[in-house]
Amino acid sequence: MLRVAVVGSGPSGVYTAQALLEQSRVPDVRVHVLDRLPTPYGLVRYGVAPDHEKIKSLQSSLRAVLEDDRITFVGHVGVGDEGGLSPARLKELYHAVVYCVGAAEDRPLAVPGEGLPGSCSATEFVSWYSAHPDAAADAFALRARSAVVVGVGNVAVDVARILARGAAELRGTDVPRAALDALGASRVREVHIVGRRGPSQARFTTKELRELGALPGVRIAVDGAELALDPAYAVAAGRPGAPLPAVVRRNLDVLRGWATDPPPTTAGQERRIRLRFFLRPVELLERDGRVAGVRFARTAPDGAGGVRDTGVYEDVEAQLVLRAVGYRGTPLPGLPFDPVRGTVPHLAGRVVRDGAASPGEYVAGWIKRGPTGVIGSNRSCAKETVASLIEDAPLLVGREVSADPLGALRDQGLRPVEWDGWLSIERAEAALGRSLGRGPVKIPDWSGLLDAARGESR
């Protein structure tokens, strides 16, 4: 029997477990899927916006994999954390370990004032409205009148959309009670989504972009002069030029439909989202000890696919600044790490130590390839890693490991949450929702999740 630990129960971890079961060269495989949280699904549970029900429904397919008899979910077990398991200990318990730990840290803006109160990462905001137990329930009071989201990818669009949505529209989702109340009392009336490059280089999808225009009571504004700075914009408008990728042309068509010059002002209780381009943040401005705005440098195309500063600056008022400029991996104690790439060095998924593949240690997902691709990209990534693992299997199975890894974890003082515990959490969240006259509502704190996993009422 080949015993494998997969560290991480998000898509990359579940797809790795699935690929292990689907391969035919080693018929007798048992997989333990470990997670620091007592809940499975990773970013599908804690990173997908609550109003994106179609993407959240991916949990059903992940669930089908985790319910296979050959797979055991082992939640509430940290790896590399204080009090958790070390990679060396995991190698004693399993023939092979696949690390699917993602890229959890946001990239900073690296500008003065970034540490001011009111300046946060988009991930912190997403974790708050997604009820991640590491996020404080009162983390965002939303007393700001104006918010700036730095970044022009899907995460930036998600957080802007949630800021602009009415609480009544989110009541039918699993947003936690405190976050829903805060969104209902929000004073935010204007949200700026800002990128340092042009609209043709933005990373959002057309679907995400169009969703902004469908928000009730929200006006979308785009500065026509900023669109015109982008050489691709003239091509999209019908002027001669190199053919544009389909997604770029669609995005520019949507943006052109919102373009005004000058952009309108916000009226009454109407909320407005402004999409801004060719602005690079250089400083967060302070007033009374909090963030009060962002100073941007105006950029322009440099003719080589990048941008250059023009020497012109613009200040945008904001009492809330959220950065959404990408992610990077963080070192896992006990594993090698490339600080430049933010990944674990590997060869076709095999962890590399001191220039050579380390037997029995593998990586998949963002910690392997960096924060690129969409959820589906993790399938092919996982299959490559599993192919390497299975090729190594004849050597791996010859090593003696624990016959009862879960018992060994308990002997070490850990209290794993298995699948039955997760089902208890689901039931508790459904009961919480019923008590509030809603569908299932997420439990937002560690103690509540662990009590629910053990069948204890609060």
Side-chain angles (χ1 to χ4, degrees):
M1 179 186 294
L2 177 67
R3 296 186 180 275
V4 181
V6 174
V7 181
S9 67
S12 63
V14 176
Y15 292 152
T16 297
Q18 184 176 35
L20 282 164
L21 298 188
E22 290 177 344
Q23 58 77 34
S24 57
R25 290 176 59 184
V26 181
D28 194 6
V29 180
R30 295 295 181 270
V31 183
H32 284 185
V33 178
L34 280 59
D35 204 295
R36 182 177 73 90
L37 298 172
T39 57
Y41 311 137
L43 283 178
V44 177
R45 175 174 167 91
Y46 289 118
V48 174
D51 56 348
H52 274 176
E53 290 298 328
K54 184 174 182 181
I55 302 176
K56 288 177 74 68
S57 68
L58 177 62
Q59 292 185 17
S60 297
S61 60
L62 301 181
R63 182 191 196 100
V65 176
L66 292 174
E67 287 184 329
D68 190 287
D69 290 341
R70 295 166 290 177
I71 293 177
T72 301
F73 173 69
V74 186
H76 193 220
V77 172
V79 174
D81 300 323
E82 184 178 349
L85 293 171
S86 68
R89 178 59 173 150
L90 282 174
K91 286 189 71 174
E92 295 173 354
L93 298 176
Y94 299 93
H95 294 115
V97 185
V98 187
Y99 296 91
C100 305
V101 293
E105 188 171 298
D106 290 84
R107 292 187 181 277
L109 297 176
V111 300
E114 188 170 13
L116 286 168
S119 168
C120 306
S121 72
T123 295
E124 290 174 287
F125 187 63
V126 171
S127 294
W128 171 71
Y129 68 61
S130 297
H132 194 291
D134 288 343
D138 59 353
F140 292 88
L142 301 182
R143 298 187 182 95
R145 299 181 305 278
S146 176
V148 165
V149 182
V150 181
V152 282
N154 282 344
V155 173
V157 174
D158 277 349
V159 298
R161 190 182 65 254
I162 296 300
L163 278 169
R165 268 205 187 281
E169 301 165 54
L170 293 171
R171 185 174 171 80
T173 72
D174 58 8
V175 169
R177 178 170 38 181
L180 188 67
D181 290 345
L183 289 164
S186 171
R187 299 177 186 174
V188 175
R189 289 295 172 266
E190 186 164 55
V191 182
H192 305 258
I193 305 174
V194 188
R196 65 183 179 89
R197 299 195 291 180
S200 66
Q201 295 167 310
R203 305 300 295 271
F204 41 63
T205 61
T206 309
K207 179 180 180 295
E208 290 263 4
L209 196 58
R210 286 174 174 156
E211 285 178 346
L212 293 180
L215 293 172
V218 177
R219 186 167 188 176
I220 312 298
V222 180
D223 190 326
E226 289 178 355
L227 291 185
L229 289 172
D230 194 324
Y233 183 68
V235 177
R239 297 177 191 172
L244 300 176
V247 65
V248 171
R249 181 175 290 279
R250 289 194 300 268
N251 285 350
L252 290 173
D253 285 345
V254 173
L255 292 168
R256 186 167 64 244
W258 292 333
T260 57
D261 194 10
T265 58
T266 304
Q269 293 302 304
E270 179 187 64
R271 291 181 176 176
R272 180 175 67 164
I273 295 176
R274 290 192 64 185
L275 287 104
R276 305 292 310 276
F277 300 98
F278 295 111
L279 292 172
R280 180 176 67 85
V282 294
E283 183 182 1
L284 271 59
L285 307 176
E286 178 266 340
R287 184 184 301 125
D288 299 328
R290 293 185 57 84
V291 67
V294 185
R295 178 160 293 160
F296 291 98
R298 168 66 66 186
T299 64
D302 63 4
V307 292
R308 58 176 176 81
D309 285 353
T310 65
V312 177
Y313 295 88
E314 178 181 340
D315 292 351
V316 175
E317 177 195 352
Q319 299 80 37
L320 175 64
V321 177
L322 301 173
R323 66 178 183 272
V325 292
Y327 301 93
R328 61 183 181 187
T330 56
L332 188 70
L335 280 184
F337 187 73
D338 182 339
V340 176
R341 296 179 179 273
T343 58
V344 171
H346 70 93
L347 292 171
R350 297 178 176 94
V351 171
V352 172
R353 292 181 182 270
D354 301 320
S358 175
E361 294 185 306
Y362 305 85
V363 285
W366 279 5
I367 199 64
K368 170 187 173 184
R369 67 182 191 275
T372 61
V374 295
I375 289 176
S377 307
N378 291 298
R379 284 190 181 276
S380 56
C381 178
K383 287 180 179 179
E384 179 192 53
T385 294
V386 168
S388 295
L389 192 160
I390 294 303
E391 186 177 320
D392 300 341
L395 267 175
L396 301 176
V397 294
R399 189 168 55 84
E400 187 174 342
V401 296
S402 172
D404 181 18
L406 280 179
L409 296 183
R410 294 188 182 96
D411 290 343
Q412 193 171 322
L414 301 176
R415 299 184 65 189
V417 172
E418 297 182 56
W419 194 251
D420 284 348
W422 159 240
L423 296 180
S424 293
I425 292 173
E426 281 194 318
R427 289 191 293 271
E429 292 184 336
L432 174 60
R434 284 193 299 271
S435 73
L436 299 172
R438 299 169 56 189
V441 172
K442 286 179 182 172
I443 297 171
D445 58 281
W446 278 100
S447 60
L449 288 169
L450 294 176
D451 285 350
R454 293 163 188 144
E456 301 171 7
S457 58
R458 301 187 68 185

